[in-house]
Amino acid sequence: MMELREFNNQVHPTPDYPSPYGSQHSLRLRTVPPQETSAVQFDWASPPEDAEDSNEPPNLRELPLHMGLKRAVWQVQQMKIPVVSSSWNIKQSQTFRRFCEVAKHVLSYFVLWKRGIQKIGGHFGGGVQSYFLFLRFLVILNFLSSLLIAGFVLIPSIVFRSMNFNSTIPTTVNLTGVEICLQYDPKPDTLMVFITYFLDLISGTGFMEYSYLFYGYYTNFNSMVESNGFSYNIPLAYLLTAAFYFLFCFICMIIRMGGTARVAVVTGGGATGGYSALVFTGWDHGLQEDRTTKLKQSNFRYRLQVDLEEERLKKKSASLTLSQTVSLYALRVFLNMVVLILIGATFYGIAKATQFSQLMKTTGFKGLVLQYLPSMVITASNFVVPLLCDKIALLEKYSPSTTVILALLRAVFLRLVSLGVLLYTLWEQITCEGDISKQNCIPCNYYYDEYKCWETRVGQEMYKLTLFDFLITIATLILVEFPRRSVSVFVCVRSYISILKMYVFNLFFGMFRIVVDHCSCKLTQWVGRQEFLVAPNVLALVYSQTVVWTGALFCPLLPFINTIKFILFYFCKKITLFQNCQPATRNFRSTTSNFFFLLVLLFGWMLATMVLLYSVTKIHPSYGCGPFRFSPTMWEVVPQAAEMLNSTSAEFLFYMGSQKFSIPLFIFSCVLLCYVSALTSVHGKSVALLKSQCKLEQRDKQFLVRQIEELNATVQKEQREPQQPQRETDTATRWNQHDNYAFDRDEDPRPY
Amino acid sequence: MGGTASKLPKDLLSEYQELTFLTKQEILLAHKRFSELQGRENGPYSSRVSMEKVLTLPELKSNPFRKRICHVFSTSDLRDGSLTFEDFLDLLSAFSDSATLEIKSHYAFRIFDFDDDGTLDARDLEKLVNCLTGETDDTRLTVEEMRQLISNILEESDIDKDGTVNLSEFQHVISRSPDFVSSFKIVL
């Protein structure tokens, strides 16, 4: 075996190891001819065909040599710079690189929570860290969006309102027959009890309703300041800001997905490689504590054992009989139906709750509960149904990774579509099921009696959803996760007496924690330190963000509220992570899951965009409130504004919006997509070709080696006695005929 | 104790910036930490710190590959794993944020090559797996499991079927794994 390896390396020397390695015992290096060693050190210097200045200093860092050698190389390189112009080029690139480094360093000071997230990654691994990175991304996104909205909509409104402009009714609008629709009086009572104040705060009614928080407060200030000739079209600004906000979020998501997608596509989704990838890349060198390291090691062992066990079982039961396969598939179909029925029942429940809460009109605490009914039903279903789905998934007997993905998909489906059901129910009521000729919708094109200002109502619903989500998360933290650690103390039978004593004499949480940490009672471990489950937490974030996007048009301050909410989430989740949780036992493939989470966020964004487009183009804005009250749809302000430009720009804009432009653009992007995917498949095929070529070459090599051995054997046979060479040939040929590797049964596993 | 930032001359600092992937702040921090390990001021950049002292760093203390890391980056003739400051910088550079995949995979290969023969054979793989699962008897895999695991690994990664994993095959496996760069990281 040793000879074959030597032979291998003589034919294909790995030129990567420099000479400082050379004084070691390796046989291989002694056989490497000297000029190859020197070629290793100065290989960079003169490949003759490489005349351009690509051998710049940046390549120096990428040499796997130690510092002394790199310095020598550098010095030689410095001496070799011949021409003035090329040295100027090199100097320029050097200064540019230094500038980039300085800029990167300065920018790194502005990275939010850098140290905190690094610490989390060190203690809990990449999976949990990816959740916090996602949270940080959303915080920054929301913050920038709220700056955008504040700058273009909020501040101008404040300015104009403080300058006491009156909103004017444009003369072009015909308002006969719809006078009743203009009545909208949300001004709160001047006398307010504290409880009313509090109720109004959390349900967005009363004094909160007629404020900058909701759509209804903004008016169509379009008036010009005569002296300056300055005009600011608030309705147009409102609409375009909303559109730009969506576009901005989309671009940010796409950019972030681009990086992860590139990696995921190149590495084939991370699912290939299996054992070798796990063993070679599985260790996280950033882990720093002994306890974490031991935990990670036991996770590794657990995972390897489980995977090996699965493989053994799979091999054993490779042949399922026909009846077993059929019954398994029948079981899966049945369970899928059960899941669908469960989800359908949830949707029905949400629809009914929404209808009920919209139509009931009680005040006080009962009214508050009724108002929050849809949120409560949605949250309850988001707790209960995924749990049931998990249990069902266990019965379905998929492989573990498929189970996880299925569970995530079902949870995502549930969350986003439950939001969709809520919106659908609202729409049903506001627009009288889309039929504006119905009794309730006759004068105003929307259900005037109930929804005097329907945009504000929708905004209020989204505001309530956001707030409720936040309260539930905080409540879960305080009421479930912290006590769970201390409750588990009482479950451990073995140390019950000592616990009692501790409880009596020490009332500090810290002591409970010590007991929990060191109690190895099985039950304690089950109830005790819980895992920080990344996937459900990320889905919660995606859901919140979707709610914010949906509500942004109707509640302009919602992104700002969401920024604060997510910042508080960061601190609360961090505290609960360090106090209550242990690192996960399941290895979490952070990169592919990052991509998946961004994809789900994109789905949420698409849902919100559909809502936006529909409400902007189809539903008549309220007559009584808001900046669009006198247009037939919200979209109308844009063509009206475009018409006021000069004719060339107006024509250009109308052309861009027409089909003559969009259809060729669409066709062009399809062609581009086909080209890129064809390129990808070609690359994949060439990789496969090269791999098989490698295999063929090795087979040729083995054939040649066999020939040499046989030749050797015949030569030696002529020189020696009959028995000895016979035995040698036998062993040699027997070894060579094996295609298997190290654990040859005939060979001693420790040969030397 | 000493080793303040002013001890590192500017030209040496810029040279280190050229030759490693570390930023100026990282080099200065490394200098500070290394000086604390040395414990006294002296002719700074060529004196060695023994492996035992290096392994007291919190970043390396519980890493199961700590001894191999020291051996790989050490330029000592005695092969005792002792590091000079420049070796230390090489170590941090290879484990830094901005190091390329090639450098990281190269050094990872050398770290995993326990017998330093240039390829990963079955014995290297066995020692590697033992490092990953824990060295004590009750944390190792059984002989049967180890055998199954190693044959699976070789089947997946040994492209030319010579019974060992060489550098190119190793780098091929690494390139297909998206998390390697972020997990092969040590930051002071």
Side-chain angles (χ1 to χ4, degrees):
Chain A
M1 194 160 143
M2 197 62 162
E3 294 93 30
L4 186 63
R5 212 183 307 138
E6 259 189 67
F7 181 78
N8 259 350
N9 291 314
Q10 279 184 16
V11 173
H12 293 293
T14 42
D16 298 305
Y17 286 179
S19 58
Y21 226 45
S23 61
Q24 297 168 17
H25 61 268
S26 161
L27 226 50
R28 178 189 76 81
L29 285 172
R30 281 192 226 135
T31 58
V32 171
Q35 83 253 25
E36 290 212 31
T37 332
S38 52
V40 167
Q41 289 187 3
F42 298 98
D43 196 30
W44 58 273
S46 47
E49 58 271 20
D50 204 348
E52 53 183 3
D53 271 350
S54 62
N55 296 326
E56 300 169 7
N59 278 343
L60 207 54
R61 295 172 174 176
E62 297 173 16
L63 290 177
L65 308 170
H66 62 261
M67 192 75 78
L69 286 173
K70 277 195 272 192
R71 195 181 276 129
V73 162
W74 189 44
Q75 281 165 354
V76 175
Q77 201 179 41
Q78 300 283 60
M79 292 193 302
K80 272 191 136 198
I81 297 171
V83 188
V84 175
S85 63
S86 59
S87 86
W88 179 76
N89 264 343
I90 292 177
K91 253 204 171 152
Q92 214 189 17
S93 64
Q94 263 185 2
T95 12
F96 180 66
R97 210 163 35 87
R98 282 222 188 95
F99 170 72
C100 282
E101 280 172 22
V102 168
K104 236 193 244 180
H105 175 70
V106 166
L107 281 177
S108 75
Y109 277 128
F110 291 109
V111 172
L112 194 60
W113 303 323
K114 187 169 165 191
R115 269 275 152 194
I117 295 185
Q118 220 169 38
K119 188 174 164 199
I120 290 171
H123 284 119
F124 289 93
V128 175
Q129 195 186 25
S130 69
Y131 166 77
F132 283 92
L133 288 171
F134 190 64
L135 181 59
R136 181 174 74 183
F137 167 69
L138 287 177
V139 165
I140 294 175
L141 191 70
N142 278 302
F143 179 66
L144 292 176
S145 327
S146 47
L147 282 183
L148 191 75
I149 291 178
F152 286 102
V153 174
L154 187 64
I155 292 179
S157 291
I158 296 177
V159 164
F160 287 155
R161 207 172 259 275
S162 67
M163 292 209 278
N164 281 327
F165 286 127
N166 290 324
S167 80
T168 53
I169 300 177
T171 47
T172 52
V173 172
N174 180 12
L175 284 179
T176 54
V178 295
E179 290 87 352
I180 189 173
C181 307
L182 289 172
Q183 291 169 17
Y184 173 63
D185 188 17
K187 297 242 172 36
D189 306 323
T190 46
L191 184 68
M192 260 199 306
V193 186
F194 176 73
I195 187 73
T196 330
Y197 185 85
F198 178 69
L199 289 176
D200 282 343
L201 188 70
I202 54 179
S203 62
T205 49
F207 79 96
M208 295 275 285
E209 186 168 339
Y210 200 62
S211 68
Y212 283 110
L213 186 60
F214 292 113
Y215 167 97
Y217 196 58
Y218 298 85
T219 48
N220 59 339
F221 290 125
N222 210 354
S223 31
M224 318 238 295
V225 175
E226 256 74 38
S227 50
N228 298 353
F230 169 79
S231 82
Y232 191 84
N233 191 344
I234 289 246
L236 188 65
Y238 194 94
L239 195 62
L240 289 183
T241 308
F244 191 68
Y245 163 54
F246 271 76
L247 211 60
F248 172 70
C249 294
F250 181 65
I251 291 173
C252 286
M253 280 193 297
I254 292 291
I255 289 176
R256 204 172 159 90
M257 269 171 89
T260 12
R262 212 171 294 135
V263 172
V265 164
V266 160
T267 61
T272 56
Y275 294 105
S276 44
L278 178 64
V279 166
F280 291 151
T281 67
W283 188 260
D284 187 355
H285 291 266
L287 294 178
Q288 282 188 24
E289 272 186 34
D290 252 341
R291 188 171 55 119
T292 336
T293 313
K294 283 209 171 43
L295 200 64
K296 177 100 189 185
Q297 282 175 329
S298 67
N299 292 345
F300 241 106
R301 185 178 67 256
Y302 175 72
R303 176 149 178 202
L304 285 173
Q305 281 171 337
V306 159
D307 285 346
L308 291 170
E309 176 79 28
E310 236 183 71
E311 191 188 330
R312 275 197 295 265
L313 285 175
K314 233 191 269 184
K315 277 195 189 144
K316 267 189 211 160
S317 66
S319 55
L320 276 179
T321 63
L322 185 66
S323 61
Q324 281 175 333
T325 329
V326 166
S327 65
L328 185 66
Y329 278 118
L331 180 68
R332 283 185 188 163
V333 166
F334 171 69
L335 289 172
N336 272 314
M337 303 272 292
V338 169
V339 166
L340 280 173
I341 291 175
L342 212 59
I343 293 182
T346 317
F347 293 157
Y348 182 72
I350 293 171
K352 274 284 167 250
T354 314
Q355 280 172 358
F356 187 69
S357 101
Q358 292 288 320
L359 294 175
M360 281 294 159
K361 282 265 169 262
T362 48
T363 52
F365 190 68
K366 195 163 162 217
L368 182 74
V369 168
L370 271 176
Q371 286 201 27
Y372 267 91
L373 196 60
S375 323
M376 290 197 275
V377 173
I378 290 183
T379 310
S381 65
N382 281 333
F383 268 139
V384 167
V385 177
L387 263 163
L388 292 174
C389 283
D390 276 344
K391 297 283 175 287
I392 292 176
L394 283 174
L395 292 173
E396 281 177 328
K397 295 199 188 115
Y398 286 114
S399 67
S401 46
T402 321
T403 318
V404 168
I405 290 179
L406 258 178
L408 282 180
L409 281 175
R410 283 181 183 146
V412 162
F413 183 64
L414 179 68
R415 286 223 163 196
L416 292 183
V417 183
S418 59
L419 183 64
V421 168
L422 173 67
L423 292 168
Y424 178 78
T425 323
L426 278 177
W427 168 82
E428 232 183 17
Q429 301 212 322
I430 293 173
T431 58
C432 316
E433 287 155 27
D435 184 5
I436 56 172
S437 58
K438 277 218 183 127
Q439 176 64 31
N440 285 330
C441 289
I442 285 288
C444 318
N445 294 334
Y446 55 90
Y447 190 8
Y448 168 73
D449 281 332
E450 276 303 313
Y451 299 97
K452 292 190 173 51
C453 189
W454 64 268
E455 295 94 344
T456 304
R457 284 296 286 278
V458 177
Q460 279 170 340
E461 285 300 323
M462 296 298 122
Y463 172 74
K464 280 186 282 196
L465 275 179
T466 308
L467 218 54
F468 192 69
D469 186 44
F470 177 63
L471 289 172
I472 284 291
T473 313
I474 300 293
T476 321
L477 276 180
I478 298 178
L479 298 177
V480 174
E481 295 193 3
F482 273 90
R484 197 169 155 187
R485 274 195 70 186
S486 33
V487 159
S488 62
V489 165
F490 297 101
V491 179
C492 183
V493 173
R494 206 166 68 189
S495 0
Y496 187 71
I497 306 295
S498 52
I499 292 165
L500 207 56
K501 278 190 198 157
M502 273 190 186
Y503 181 65
V504 170
F505 296 126
N506 295 312
L507 293 177
F508 299 107
F509 250 18
M511 300 306 280
F512 290 164
R513 264 186 241 134
I514 292 174
V515 172
V516 172
D517 287 341
H518 294 283
C519 182
S520 55
C521 167
K522 277 273 176 209
L523 214 50
T524 316
Q525 280 178 350
W526 180 72
V527 178
R529 301 199 94 184
Q530 57 229 312
E531 270 179 37
F532 186 87
L533 294 171
V534 177
N537 277 300
V538 170
L539 289 176
L541 288 181
V542 168
Y543 170 74
S544 317
Q545 187 60 46
T546 310
V547 168
V548 166
W549 278 329
T550 318
L553 183 67
F554 309 111
C555 176
L557 290 186
L558 203 56
F560 179 66
I561 294 173
N562 206 37
T563 312
I564 299 181
K565 173 178 159 188
F566 279 168
I567 290 177
L568 289 173
F569 263 14
Y570 171 76
F571 289 112
C572 294
K573 290 280 175 187
K574 196 167 150 206
I575 292 173
T576 188
L577 188 67
F578 281 105
Q579 298 298 325
N580 299 334
C581 298
Q582 59 176 357
T585 49
R586 258 186 303 181
N587 205 1
F588 191 80
R589 276 198 207 97
S590 42
T591 313
T592 44
S593 305
N594 271 342
F595 179 74
F596 178 71
F597 293 144
L598 285 168
L599 197 66
V600 169
L601 194 64
L602 199 64
F603 284 149
W605 179 88
M606 282 196 240
L607 174 69
T609 312
M610 283 195 318
V611 171
L612 174 81
L613 289 175
Y614 188 80
S615 32
V616 161
T617 51
K618 280 289 196 178
I619 311 182
H620 197 289
S622 307
Y623 281 101
C625 59
F628 300 99
R629 60 181 82 168
F630 301 117
S631 337
T633 60
M634 290 194 211
W635 172 253
E636 282 304 311
V637 288
V638 174
Q640 280 174 11
E643 275 162 19
M644 291 200 283
L645 297 169
N646 65 352
S647 64
T648 341
S649 336
E651 255 181 52
F652 179 67
L653 284 174
F654 281 119
Y655 175 72
M656 294 258 284
S658 71
Q659 285 166 331
K660 278 185 284 187
F661 179 73
S662 51
I663 291 185
L665 184 70
F666 178 70
I667 293 178
F668 175 68
S669 39
C670 283
V671 167
L672 204 62
L673 199 68
C674 289
Y675 168 71
V676 169
S677 65
L679 212 59
T680 318
S681 73
V682 161
H683 282 315
K685 280 191 196 132
S686 60
V687 164
L689 207 63
L690 287 170
K691 260 197 204 171
S692 55
Q693 208 175 353
C694 249
K695 277 200 195 121
L696 280 174
E697 278 182 11
Q698 177 60 12
R699 266 191 223 131
D700 289 342
K701 210 193 304 180
Q702 280 184 346
F703 173 71
L704 288 172
V705 166
R706 230 175 291 150
Q707 297 277 61
I708 291 180
E709 293 278 337
E710 280 173 13
L711 218 55
N712 231 2
T714 5
V715 166
Q716 283 175 0
K717 206 159 72 169
E718 289 166 5
Q719 295 175 358
R720 292 192 199 172
E721 294 146 15
Q723 304 94 310
Q724 267 184 334
Q726 193 61 31
R727 214 169 17 137
E728 271 178 28
T729 327
D730 280 345
T731 14
T733 40
R734 212 172 21 167
W735 187 86
N736 282 329
Q737 276 164 10
H738 266 292
D739 256 353
N740 261 334
Y741 336 102
F743 287 110
D744 199 9
R745 284 203 190 95
D746 304 320
E747 210 179 303
D748 184 16
R750 293 182 192 73
Y752 304 102
Chain B
M1 293 266 247
T4 55
S6 58
K7 287 278 179 181
L8 199 56
K10 273 214 179 340
D11 57 343
L12 216 51
L13 185 63
S14 67
E15 189 179 308
Y16 289 148
Q17 272 184 282
E18 282 291 324
L19 297 177
T20 66
F21 287 102
L22 302 171
T23 65
K24 193 164 90 155
Q25 277 65 26
E26 288 170 348
I27 296 175
L28 291 172
L29 179 62
H31 183 75
K32 178 162 154 254
R33 299 285 295 273
F34 194 76
S35 311
E36 283 165 14
L37 281 181
Q38 278 178 325
R40 55 191 168 87
E41 307 172 17
N42 52 1
Y45 314 112
S46 49
S47 66
R48 295 186 167 277
V49 170
S50 68
M51 185 164 76
E52 288 72 32
K53 276 210 188 146
V54 174
L55 294 182
T56 60
L57 281 174
E59 289 84 2
L60 287 178
K61 203 167 49 162
S62 25
N63 194 324
F65 299 101
R66 54 189 180 274
K67 292 210 176 114
R68 278 300 305 162
I69 292 176
C70 286
H71 278 294
V72 165
F73 286 98
S74 161
T75 51
S76 154
D77 295 321
L78 307 164
R79 294 185 55 233
D80 58 356
S82 58
L83 300 181
T84 64
F85 178 60
E86 299 189 344
D87 296 338
F88 189 58
L89 282 184
D90 275 327
L91 195 160
L92 291 175
S93 168
F95 277 98
S96 77
D97 240 329
S98 23
T100 58
L101 182 69
E102 289 75 29
I103 277 279
K104 284 188 192 255
S105 56
H106 178 98
Y107 279 111
F109 185 74
R110 281 172 66 174
I111 290 172
F112 294 156
D113 190 8
F114 284 81
D115 49 10
D116 285 324
D117 63 352
T119 57
L120 299 182
D121 59 3
R123 305 185 58 195
D124 291 327
L125 291 174
E126 184 174 341
K127 287 200 196 137
L128 171 61
V129 172
N130 281 334
C131 274
L132 290 174
T133 60
E135 299 278 3
T136 59
D137 274 329
D138 57 345
T139 54
R140 284 184 219 253
L141 296 179
T142 66
V143 174
E144 208 27 71
E145 285 172 343
M146 183 68 80
R147 197 178 271 225
Q148 186 188 357
L149 177 62
I150 291 184
S151 73
N152 280 337
I153 292 176
L154 287 173
E155 189 176 319
E156 285 168 359
S157 48
D158 188 11
I159 298 179
D160 56 4
K161 304 291 177 224
D162 62 351
T164 64
V165 180
N166 63 25
L167 181 62
S168 341
E169 291 161 352
F170 182 79
Q171 283 178 327
H172 180 66
V173 172
I174 296 287
S175 69
R176 286 181 302 169
S177 161
D179 297 324
F180 176 69
V181 172
S182 51
S183 66
F184 197 78
K185 212 190 287 192
I186 293 179
V187 178
L188 286 180

